[in-house]
Amino acid sequence: MLTTAPTTSLHLLTLLLKCADHISAGNLTSAGDLLPEIFELSSPFGSPADRVAAFFAHSLHSYLLLHFLSPPPQPVKMLTLSSQLRSFHSALQSYNSLTPFVKFSHFTANQAIFEALEGHDGVHVIDLDIMQGLQWPGLFHILASRPRKVNSVRVTGFGPSSDLLSQTGARLAEFAASLGLPFRFTPIEGKIGNLSESQLSQLAAVANEVTVVHCMHHNLYDISGSHVGTLRVLNAVRPRLVTMVEQDIDVSQTTSFMERFVEALHYYSALFDALGEGLGKDSVQRHVVEQQLFGSEIRNILAVGHGRKRINGDDGIITRWGDELIRVGFEPFSLSGSPAAQASLLLEMFPWKGYTMMEENGCLRLGWKDLPLLTASAWQPCDYSCVTSNGNILRN
């Protein structure tokens, strides 16, 4: 998992695993006794292994501090402060420029959406966590270039800040205007699973308009809110397509702390290795990404919550959204063909050759040195008609 000098790497790994094992067993004092040596041997500015160890050590330290407190901390729900969001968005832009992971999610989803629009003149995109809307100019480009022009482009963006949503809408409107696309933006502050009835009406489709839903899940915070509410909205809207991107890591609360720790260590070791490939140890962009994104995700997984897989009130636990979509009447939409071809072309643009892409049951999985890190999938309605208030299926 760690790939620095063999002796130091092995010793750091041993210390980290011992610390996590003590925490898993409830021996918090013994775990704390190991942290000073881990801090001394690791560094957020060293080799990939040094950096991984440093961020995991800080997360274990946060766990100990928080769980010595009474009452225990609540899981992270969503970034809400404008300053936090701007820092996060800035780090995401750097991440987008350094690796293909963000572009991969954009390219595959946009190509699938483009294909779903065949024979239609309008599209309504519902983005569950729109952030800065970086994905949609790419879709606008291919819509503007198709022979059959679109006469309606509508985007509904969910997010935690009305001010930042307005800024995103203004940028997208300006870009759409430069391409001659008729455009309308609807901001909704909050999460799709917590929609009121009046807000739900804003998602209603109009004639000859294809509705698509896009969601990119991550371990920083839960983007959808109540999953029963989310499934109820998806059933009511019945989008032509749901595009989904998820991290290939299982850190649900159904596993022990030690299991979550090992899974996260394996996963983020690969991410740190991929991000460090070809970049100097003093790279400011890389450090910002690791600090603002990876470090925050690791801390959320280990110390204060479990990101997208945390418990949502009385809803229970979502571990695989695809399974839930199948349960309420959706079926896989294959991303082989044009989406896969676009993703392959994207990987050829990057000079580092450790990235790998796999097709599996119609999904596309992007990884580093054959370890899957990100999965893109798409889903379309089948013959189910509705879902009860408990999320159960009713058939015609």
Side-chain angles (χ1 to χ4, degrees):
M1 284 179 282
L2 300 178
T3 56
T4 188
T7 304
T8 304
S9 173
L10 180 60
H11 189 48
L12 267 173
L13 177 59
T14 300
L15 289 172
L16 285 168
L17 291 174
K18 281 184 178 179
C19 187
D21 189 47
H22 281 311
I23 288 176
S24 192
N27 302 323
L28 302 190
T29 300
S30 298
D33 290 341
L34 295 172
L35 284 175
E37 186 176 0
I38 300 175
F39 282 130
E40 183 179 350
L41 293 174
S42 61
S43 168
F45 301 99
S47 68
D50 293 335
R51 303 197 309 272
V52 170
F55 284 106
F56 271 80
H58 279 286
S59 295
L60 293 174
H61 185 239
S62 294
Y63 179 96
L64 294 176
L65 289 177
L66 291 168
H67 287 77
F68 272 123
L69 299 177
S70 181
Q74 296 300 308
V76 172
K77 295 183 177 180
M78 189 173 243
L79 301 177
T80 54
L81 297 177
S82 293
S83 58
Q84 289 178 313
L85 287 165
R86 289 191 178 93
S87 296
F88 171 61
H89 292 161
S90 176
L92 189 66
Q93 286 180 319
S94 295
Y95 188 36
N96 185 38
S97 68
L98 296 174
T99 76
F101 291 110
V102 178
K103 290 185 176 72
F104 167 80
S105 67
H106 294 176
F107 278 38
T108 52
N110 285 349
Q111 190 61 40
I113 293 169
F114 182 73
E115 292 179 6
L117 278 173
E118 185 176 356
H120 296 268
D121 298 325
V123 61
H124 178 202
V125 174
I126 301 172
D127 190 332
L128 302 198
D129 188 24
I130 196 166
M131 302 185 202
Q132 292 178 308
L134 298 178
Q135 174 166 351
W136 305 120
L139 178 64
F140 294 174
H141 264 299
I142 59 176
L143 291 179
S145 65
R146 78 174 196 167
R148 179 171 177 166
K149 300 298 182 182
V150 294
N151 57 30
S152 173
V153 178
R154 183 159 60 113
V155 173
T156 296
F158 287 83
S161 167
S162 58
D163 289 342
L164 293 180
L165 283 171
S166 296
Q167 294 171 23
T168 294
R171 282 193 299 270
L172 291 178
E174 182 178 0
F175 191 84
S178 71
L179 297 173
L181 292 175
F183 176 78
R184 181 156 60 96
F185 181 76
T186 303
I188 299 182
E189 186 175 0
K191 302 176 182 180
I192 192 170
N194 305 333
L195 277 182
S196 65
E197 289 300 319
S198 60
Q199 288 174 314
L200 180 59
S201 65
Q202 299 180 65
L203 305 184
V206 300
N208 205 32
E209 177 186 77
V210 171
T211 299
V212 296
V213 172
H214 177 70
C215 41
M216 184 173 180
H217 295 285
H218 48 72
N219 286 308
L220 276 171
Y221 51 80
D222 168 50
I223 69 169
S224 56
S226 162
H227 86 260
V228 169
T230 300
L231 295 172
R232 189 183 301 117
V233 171
L234 291 179
N235 184 73
V237 173
R238 300 308 282 175
R240 172 66 62 89
L241 195 69
V242 177
T243 56
M244 185 171 297
V245 180
E246 299 178 274
Q247 291 171 297
D248 263 309
I249 177 173
D250 182 7
V251 288
S252 67
Q253 289 182 334
T254 58
T255 58
S256 69
F257 180 87
M258 190 64 180
E259 289 172 320
R260 288 197 301 275
F261 180 86
V262 171
E263 176 82 3
L265 183 62
H266 192 49
Y267 182 86
Y268 285 97
S269 291
L271 268 183
F272 275 74
D273 189 32
L275 191 61
E277 184 77 11
L279 295 175
K281 66 178 183 179
D282 297 326
S283 170
V284 174
Q285 274 191 308
R286 191 207 68 220
H287 181 69
V288 166
V289 171
E290 291 175 347
Q291 181 74 40
Q292 296 291 332
L293 298 185
F294 299 169
S296 296
E297 288 186 351
I298 293 166
R299 183 174 180 271
N300 194 33
I301 291 169
L302 298 181
V304 295
H306 308 301
R308 62 189 172 89
K309 300 192 176 32
R310 67 175 178 81
I311 292 178
N312 287 313
D314 296 326
D315 285 346
I317 301 172
I318 288 289
T319 56
R320 297 183 186 277
W321 270 102
D323 293 343
E324 292 296 295
L325 289 173
I326 290 172
R327 189 174 68 84
V328 298
F330 287 79
E331 60 187 6
F333 175 92
S334 177
L335 293 177
S336 61
S338 294
Q342 291 288 327
S344 295
L345 289 173
L346 169 66
L347 294 189
E348 293 176 6
M349 296 166 55
F350 280 79
W352 308 296
K353 302 306 179 185
Y355 294 106
T356 53
M357 191 186 73
M358 298 149 276
E359 292 185 41
E360 185 177 303
N361 300 323
C363 300
L364 298 180
R365 306 179 79 184
L366 179 61
W368 177 251
K369 298 178 180 177
D370 295 322
L371 177 68
L373 298 175
L374 204 66
T375 294
S377 62
W379 306 84
Q380 60 188 359
C382 47
D383 294 331
Y384 297 121
S385 60
C386 68
V387 178
T388 69
S389 60
N390 294 321
N392 297 317
I393 300 168
L394 295 178
R395 301 171 184 259
N396 284 332

